[in-house]
Amino acid sequence: MAIWTEANPFLDPPAGENSFSRITHNVTRVAEAEKPPKAWFIALGISSTMLAIFGISIAYVFWNGIGSWGNMHPVMWGFPIVNFVFWIGIGHAGTLISAILFLLRQTWRTAINRFAEAMTIFAVMCAGIFPGIHVGRPWLPYWMFPIPNQMSMWPQFRSPLEWDIFAVGTYFTVSLMFWFMGMIPDLATLRDRATSTPRRLIYGILAMGWRGSSRQWHRYERAYLILAALATPLVLSVHSVVSFDFATSQLPGWHTTIFPPYFVAGAIFGGFAMVLTLAVPARQFFGLKRLIAIRHLELMNKILIATGLMVGYAYGMEFFISWYSGSPYEGFAFVNRAFGPYAWAYWTMVTCNVLIPQLHWFKEVRTNPWATLAIGIAVNVGMWFERFVIICTSQSRDFLPSSWGYFIPTPFDYMTLCGSFGLFFTLFLLFCRYLPMVAMAEVKAAHPDAHAAHAQAHAAVTEAARA
Amino acid sequence: MLPFVFPRWANKTRQIAGVVLGVAPIYLIGLVWYGASPKTTDVGYMPKQPVPYSHALHAGELGIDCRYCHSTVERAGHAAIPPAATCMNCHRFIWQESKKLGPIRESAKSGKEVEWIKVHDLPDYVYFNHSAHVTRGVGCATCHGRVDRMVQVFQREPLSMSWCLDCHRAPEKNLRPPEEVTNMSWKPPGDPVAFGKSLREKNHIDPPTDCSTCHR
Amino acid sequence: MKSQKSSYWRSLAELENSAEFRELLEREFAAPPENVRLDSPERRRFMQLMGASLALAGVTSCRWQKDKLLPFSQQPENMVPGEPRFFATSMELGGSANGLLVTSYDGRPIKVEGNPEHPSSGGAANLFHQASLLSLYDPDRSESVVQRSGGARQVSSWDAFEALVKERTAALRANGGKGLRVLAEPSSSPSLADMRRRLLAAFPSAQWIEFSTEGDNQQAGSLLAFGSPYRSHPTLGNANVVLSLDCDLVGPTHPFGVANARGLVKGRTPDSGNMNRLYAVESTLTLTGSIADHRLPLRSELVKAFAAALDAEVSAKVLPPAELGPAQAKPQANFLKDPKVFKFLAVLASDLAENRGASAILAGAHQPPEVHALAHRMNAVLSNIGRTVLYRPELNRTPDRELESLKRLTEEMRAGAVDTLLIIGANPALTAPADLDFASALGKVSASIALGEYEDETARLCNWHLPLAHYLESWGDARAHDGTLSLIQPLILPLHGGRSALEVLALFAGDNRREGLDIVRRTHAALLGSDRAWNKAVHDGFAAGTTPPRFFPTLKPLSALQFSARELGDSNVSNGALELVFLPDSKVYDGRFANNSWLQELADPLSKQSWGNAARMSPKTAAELRVGEGDLVQLTLAGRSLELPAIFTPGQAEGTVAVSLGYGRHAAGHVGGLDEAGVEPVGANAYALRTIEAFHIAPSLSVARVGGHQDIATTQDLYAIDPVGKIGSEGRLSELVREATLEEFKKEPHFAREAPREPLLSLWSDPVSYQGHRWGMSIDLNRCIGCNACVVACVSENNIPVVGKANVIKGREMFWLRVDRYFKGPPEEPQVSFQPIPCQQCENAPCEQVCPVGATMHSHEGLNDMVYNRCIGTRYCSSNCPYKVRRFNYFNYHLDKVGVTPFNVVTDRKKLIQHMAFNPEVTVRARGVMEKCTFCVQRIEKTKIKAKNARRSIQDGEIKTACQQTCPTDAIVFGDLSDSASQVARLQALPRAYALLEELNNRPRVRYLARVRNPHPELA
């Protein structure tokens, strides 16, 4: 593993006369470095190749008709929608961490919120592509937007797909603002440290004239708080609405009231898993071990256990309700999931989402970055299969046995799937390279030194108590 | 090293950006709404025909009834374009030599069709039926305009979906006694809408607005 | 119906200037005349161009390209551009004519339907009749006379051929036609018989050989029973008890299938308490077997012994002992002692005896003459003759047995005794018994002439190939099942300059009449001499009152029957001694329809297999042979072998393997298989195993797995499905297809009514308030025989694309109307149920609520309107449709016909000719669009406009959906529910009526009438 042994400039301890400047240096040196570690280039090479595959597969599908994918009758949705729901799910941790944990004053979030948010943005971008390209006539999805026209035709607002448009749209906009706003002070830092004119110009524009005056700080804090308050309900709403696509339909296995909470829990579960998957290598490559400490990983792993259990509960409850409903179709849908032709998918899901995360009960496991990474990946796989099971298995066998079928993906399905990861990782790698990966300003604010005076006061009080 | 400072004018960019972001969507929607409308793209379409046939002369001055040529309009979905034979009914006797009538005589002789250019051309997924409208008392002029004044026929109305729906939802303003449909200069006695309403009652006219009315 | 006058006139006019007519044809593909505007490529191209352009088309009706209007120079009389006209004609298949009514749109036939006034048809047409329309426009039909010498193919002309005929006939006249042979399919056409007489008169020592794949056992049987080959046909309407001896009497492959089906259901109306009882004794499961009240699976070779035993028992019951002949000795067969068979036979015999004069016994075409003789005999002793079975003298057929004469012909050909061979219609190179090796014999004939629609296997081996005119292009005549004279009139000039058999024969016979019309008129000069009579007959499509008078043949004592050990079922049927049965296919018949994509794509009613055939065997037999469903097996019979996949048929007799004929063709065309074009044959050619001895039923078959698996293109799950699925599906069948016995029904008439569970509640209020019409449909499962005629009608009416084998395997078939087939009970004796599923037009439709762009909306008359041009293809509607009736265009399936997309242009005129078959009243869907049954909304709208123009209201039954129109048993009824007097309203009010998946509260507008079976109390 040359990339580990090679001299990685980011692995030396950060320079600086006090902890604040060390933090600054630790983060900014990545963006300011002449050239990133070889590993970065290798990673970018791979991801951009996958991105190209994405483009090719979509182009081919557009050209020949979406029959190039495996979608069939009755499995009308197949991979594209599976991927859509999967990515939307990933896009949850970011806003959750930055908004909800912020409101809950969980200072440890500062270590990871910045690139959790970035991850959210990119994941939602991946997700947003699929509803557009999966339709039969991909040059027309704009008909789903309420645009005045000569046919006096409007979208059909009773359709959950229509709700998706607005839910996802809002979520993306707010997350983007949230992310960008949080970055402004750090961008200003980069601007001020910049040595070349183009960097000065670009970071300067992005910093939007931030001067760090106390008035600006005051406004900034307010706005941030308000955005956090706005974003919090969205975390719950988006995936609830996405789950309506299924919950409001008649299909056995979809027609389930537990879906909204179940989807949200699953989304947070998957989102955190993805954060971990990204955080572990990032802190390794870019020497952020001091900022993203084992403690942070451990905390996230605990959340992973919690949400994992919720998801597990949902799996169980689905079975109970389907039996309790007394509808033979509902009942069959779930028996078929677990023991029908798609059992392999179902049990993969259960193993990855319910069984494997239980390892985190052991401190050795949840404090070990590599174990964390492995389990994170496993959960991502599991969550993808969860969507596959919900969509494909349910569709493949519904009411009339005469129209049952078995969905078999084509190469283009796989190309599009891994292609979407290409898009995601490419964006993420560029982010790591050119933007502040950790919220410097916030870390500093949360740093003990920021509260030195406060600490002394404490000391005084305890002295008095002793006396 | 001095911190980088933007020139003063840069302060304006924010206001400008704000204005642009506000106006652009409205402009775009307007562009699509108006620019892409058949009102703009189709109305006034006047292709050159192989024979400079003047409706103004035949239907207008000579007052030939529309149905003399477009004979199937009351029975069929299409208002048939007359065969050359119909033209020759008269032009066997008048203007036999006219150069302009060359193609007609040619066709009548050889049996080869005259290639007229279609003016009122609906999208092919729209199933319009002339008889259904003409027999209910929707005048030719309502959709085709005063053809009797057109030397060369052009499209008068947008023929867009909303235009069709406007009438299907409130046919009153375009109704007339069925026997008057081909009368180009017909004027409703008194208040058109009131008169239309009475006709609507009388002839039980209740145009459907279901999708399958026009799309099959 | 418009008077035929105009069509007759029109045809002549076109004959005069056929050059113009060709141009008009050409123009079909360039800029169309006004009078074909609706079907112009522009319409199609538009839908295709949507590809690139809908972005705009959505927002505005933008102008694509200049549309041209080309009026006639002289308007033909009685013709309104864009208005369809209807002409009566007939199609002969299996030696019997079905009266047809063909819709012609601006001179193009676009739909074939049954002629309501015709005795055989009564408005119904089977899938072959309807799909024959597509064959008319088949680009693979041969376009020109072709001459082959030494394997070199060269395009020739009719003139050249006429020259040949001249010099040939000159030579032949000298020797009285010695060496002239004509090979034709048996036909009921009087004109053909007349031409045959004339030909044989001109060439006394010439010979006319008849050969068909279904054989002539029926005639032979009549010869045995009565001493003369009489024709017979049942009138099942008068029968209380019907017995099928291995005979698919309602199936599409039965020449009288349509008439039989209509007759049979006359006596199956439980609501009026009138139910006949149908027994079926058969080896492989057929439509007849699946609607039968009692079905006994029996190897075909055992049917003879069974029939003999039955005859013995019946005769003993109804005849004085003195009249019992040697043939009435009960055969000593062990299988008859099997309690199940024994009881069945006893009950059947008594049931027959109790219904003397009201029972009918029919034997299958592939059963030996003795079985037919026994059937004839039993009908006679039960005094059914004249009541339920009618006889008439054979007028047309040559007396000698088909196979013998064909054998003789081949020997003569080998011996070089034949110098001129004219093959009419038939394709012996494919269909003749393999051991004759007809193909090689053809090489010995100096002048072999094949007259056929395609340049098929036979044509490729002959020196001359002549394009045969399609029946929609030519004059002719034939006899209906009851002997009624039916006329065949052309609706269009021969597209490829073909000529009819009559015209070619006239050429040979040196007849002074050369035009088909003259020939036919001459034949019937006596009957239809006057123009009035003739015009009426052509207008009606048949000559009324030409049914031969009733005729009572007298039985001839039957000599004692001989049974081989096999026929007594004594020898065991282990592998190597299995029985193989050859059957005409339910889709391609004997192979003549192999290039018809509608039929190829159609799913076999029972195996649900499309695009190919398979070795059908019972699951048990398969288990013994260790063969799985879809496994490739090798059938070996007397040294000849054939590879094809195995498919399970529950209810098939143990030890019987059945294969259908007509597949595996190498010269059918671009659909059915064409070697030079690299088109793989569809299915496997079972003729390769067929020999003179084993022509219908072959013993000593051995089956071997060759390893390897083939994906069978089925539109429903294969029989062998995973246990979870099996349990799950069987569990719900009793709710989906509700059935009861007549007894149960009488006790509890409402047995089917109530929903198994409380309906769900809806969030939405009704999308529309229903004023005026409320369209609805009722489908009587008790009448449905699963014959697929409705499916083809739907395909033809609604321009439904064919997707091909690969896509059917993927499960992307597009047919809007499907006939679901379910098996209940043990695989040895399954109960079969058919359930036609069109769009249920739910009032509370799940599809409408989820479409984001409102492409499917509710009409005020209660239809789920589907707006193709608004659909963007999210497929959410289909996901949410519990009946899965919505179909999606995953690709541009019409590409080859329509030709134009943003990135691909097909200009091949031969291909483009296909789109002449399109119905201009229905939009052709582009790629990426959802589509579904619309209750034939185009017909509804047309009738509404017609009625409103005339200021009148629509009569009940005035609007018929395509599926309803063609249904031979009137199982489907469509109409207005708000008119309580309408037939559909009355049917939906019946206690048997139920809604499918009612508990979902979709409130479908389709109601199913539960099926009622009528088992014999002692067998139930």
Side-chain angles (χ1 to χ4, degrees), chain C residues 595-656:
Chain C
N595 207 48
N596 188 311
S597 53
W598 288 352
L599 293 173
Q600 285 282 14
E601 178 116 336
L602 202 62
D604 176 275
L606 289 154
S607 70
K608 285 293 158 191
Q609 179 183 15
S610 81
W611 293 100
N613 57 349
R616 283 181 268 160
M617 56 185 80
S618 74
K620 188 143 166 282
T621 311
E624 282 161 9
L625 298 168
R626 289 189 198 68
V627 170
E629 209 161 16
D631 289 353
L632 275 176
V633 294
Q634 184 174 44
L635 308 184
T636 312
L637 196 65
R640 301 187 168 75
S641 64
L642 177 69
E643 262 186 35
L644 75 176
I647 197 165
F648 294 0
T649 314
Q652 178 137 329
E654 303 305 329
T656 297

Side-chain angles (χ1 to χ4, degrees), chain C residues 13-283:
Chain C
E14 286 158 0
L15 281 165
E16 282 158 11
N17 56 7
S18 71
E20 262 74 356
F21 183 70
R22 295 229 166 285
E23 273 175 39
L24 186 133
L25 261 185
E26 296 290 353
R27 235 178 277 102
E28 284 278 340
F29 318 114
E34 153 75 0
N35 60 340
V36 293
R37 184 192 144 280
L38 269 183
D39 192 34
S40 68
E42 271 67 19
R43 164 174 296 281
R44 318 285 157 237
R45 184 171 300 129
F46 189 91
M47 291 312 291
Q48 301 298 320
L49 274 170
M50 306 277 253
S53 47
L54 249 162
L56 284 163
V59 196
T60 149
S61 68
C62 214
R63 174 161 285 99
W64 292 118
Q65 73 288 313
K66 281 185 185 161
D67 260 358
K68 296 236 175 102
L69 298 166
L70 295 89
F72 274 108
S73 139
Q74 298 278 348
Q75 186 78 9
E77 78 184 73
N78 293 344
M79 131 147 229
V80 179
E83 290 299 302
R85 292 187 301 168
F86 306 92
F87 299 105
T89 183
S90 314
M91 173 180 174
E92 187 184 28
L93 190 65
S96 168
N98 195 64
L100 302 174
L101 191 61
V102 182
T103 309
S104 168
Y105 221 104
D106 302 322
R108 285 175 306 115
I110 60 153
K111 180 96 167 55
V112 173
E113 295 181 346
N115 176 353
E117 279 130 59
H118 191 276
S120 313
S121 152
N126 73 15
L127 48 113
F128 299 127
H129 304 127
Q130 300 184 67
S132 64
L133 177 84
L134 194 63
S135 304
L136 169 67
Y137 299 117
D138 186 344
D140 288 329
R141 271 176 67 206
S142 60
E143 272 184 315
S144 53
V145 178
V146 172
Q147 186 176 9
R148 277 189 172 74
S149 47
R153 175 187 191 277
Q154 91 193 56
V155 172
S156 179
S157 70
W158 281 104
D159 301 342
F161 176 70
E162 285 179 19
L164 170 96
V165 174
K166 216 179 239 76
E167 55 112 328
R168 275 276 157 188
T169 43
L172 285 164
R173 281 190 199 294
N175 60 18
K178 194 163 72 59
L180 170 63
R181 299 286 181 273
V182 179
L183 176 59
E185 295 187 315
S187 160
S188 63
S189 159
S191 296
L192 195 66
D194 182 48
M195 286 311 301
R196 181 174 74 209
R197 269 190 297 281
R198 290 168 185 277
L199 186 76
L200 295 179
F203 306 101
S205 42
Q207 271 183 40
W208 183 287
I209 295 93
E210 282 179 342
F211 172 66
S212 66
T213 50
E214 54 269 27
D216 55 1
N217 288 350
Q218 141 90 16
Q219 280 74 11
S222 160
L223 203 60
L224 278 176
F226 307 113
S228 170
Y230 298 121
R231 277 182 171 267
S232 67
H233 72 275
T235 55
L236 300 176
N238 313 338
N240 300 337
V241 178
V242 178
L243 167 62
S244 142
L245 292 170
D246 213 2
C247 170
D248 187 6
L249 53 97
V250 296
T253 54
H254 193 288
F256 310 154
V258 172
N260 287 350
R262 279 173 52 232
L264 190 68
V265 293
K266 271 209 200 83
R268 290 180 84 79
T269 52
D271 313 293
S272 65
N274 151 30
M275 280 289 281
N276 61 25
R277 185 172 292 127
L278 173 60
Y279 295 83
V281 179
E282 58 184 16
S283 55

Side-chain angles (χ1 to χ4, degrees), chain B residues 46-87:
Chain B
M46 186 171 357
K48 187 167 181 330
Q49 302 289 359
V51 178
Y53 173 84
S54 161
H55 279 82
L57 173 63
H58 294 80
E61 289 176 35
L62 305 176
I64 301 174
D65 188 286
C66 310
R67 286 163 294 194
Y68 179 76
C69 302
H70 305 291
S71 51
T72 65
V73 73
E74 285 167 315
R75 298 176 284 147
H78 315 287
I81 303 302
T86 310
C87 312

Side-chain angles (χ1 to χ4, degrees), chain A residues 147-169:
Chain A
I147 304 169
N149 59 64
Q150 290 67 39
M151 302 181 288
S152 47
M153 286 291 293
W154 293 96
Q156 214 267 101
F157 290 103
R158 289 189 304 174
S159 165
L161 280 186
E162 201 58 35
W163 309 342
D164 276 1
I165 302 259
F166 294 101
V168 176

Side-chain angles (χ1 to χ4, degrees), chain A residues 94-272:
Chain A
T95 320
L96 180 99
I97 292 166
S98 32
I100 296 183
L101 297 189
F102 175 75
L103 295 179
L104 298 177
R105 298 282 184 275
Q106 296 296 317
T107 47
W108 60 269
R109 67 182 261 288
T110 55
I112 44 151
N113 71 326
R114 172 63 45 77
F115 72 74
E117 288 165 27
M119 181 198 76
T120 296
I121 307 292
F122 304 146
V124 175
M125 284 165 79
C126 293
I129 289 175
F130 283 99
I133 62 170
H134 100 288
V135 301
R137 302 199 286 177
W139 50 92
L140 289 181
Y142 74 91
W143 281 0
M144 289 195 275
F145 298 105
I147 304 169
N149 59 64
Q150 290 67 39
M151 302 181 288
S152 47
M153 286 291 293
W154 293 96
Q156 214 267 101
F157 290 103
R158 289 189 304 174
S159 165
L161 280 186
E162 201 58 35
W163 309 342
D164 276 1
I165 302 259
F166 294 101
V168 176
T170 320
Y171 185 64
F172 181 70
T173 326
V174 172
S175 312
L176 189 63
M177 285 166 65
F178 206 75
W179 180 59
F180 179 65
M181 219 197 104
M183 244 186 329
I184 286 178
D186 296 353
L187 288 168
T189 317
L190 283 174
R191 173 198 62 194
D192 300 342
R193 296 168 52 99
T195 49
S196 69
T197 320
R199 293 178 74 91
R200 282 174 168 178
L201 205 61
I202 293 163
Y203 287 120
I205 291 169
L206 292 176
M208 298 181 90
W210 177 266
R211 290 189 311 284
S213 72
S214 65
R215 186 144 144 282
Q216 280 185 332
W217 271 114
H218 177 72
R219 299 245 171 100
Y220 171 84
E221 298 287 354
R222 273 300 161 76
Y224 200 78
L225 194 64
I226 295 170
L227 271 179
L230 283 176
T232 305
L234 285 178
V235 178
L236 304 176
S237 74
V238 186
H239 225 49
S240 303
V241 173
V242 170
S243 78
F244 291 163
D245 288 346
F246 310 102
T248 62
S249 81
Q250 279 192 330
L251 204 68
W254 284 11
H255 185 59
T256 320
T257 43
I258 198 177
F259 265 14
Y262 161 19
F263 268 51
V264 172
I268 296 166
F269 184 51
F272 267 86

Side-chain angles (χ1 to χ4, degrees), chain C residues 172 219 300 385 512 564 730 742 771:
Chain C
L172 285 164
Q219 280 74 11
S300 289
I385 295 182
N512 52 354
S564 71
E730 277 163 3
L742 190 55
Q771 329 107 339

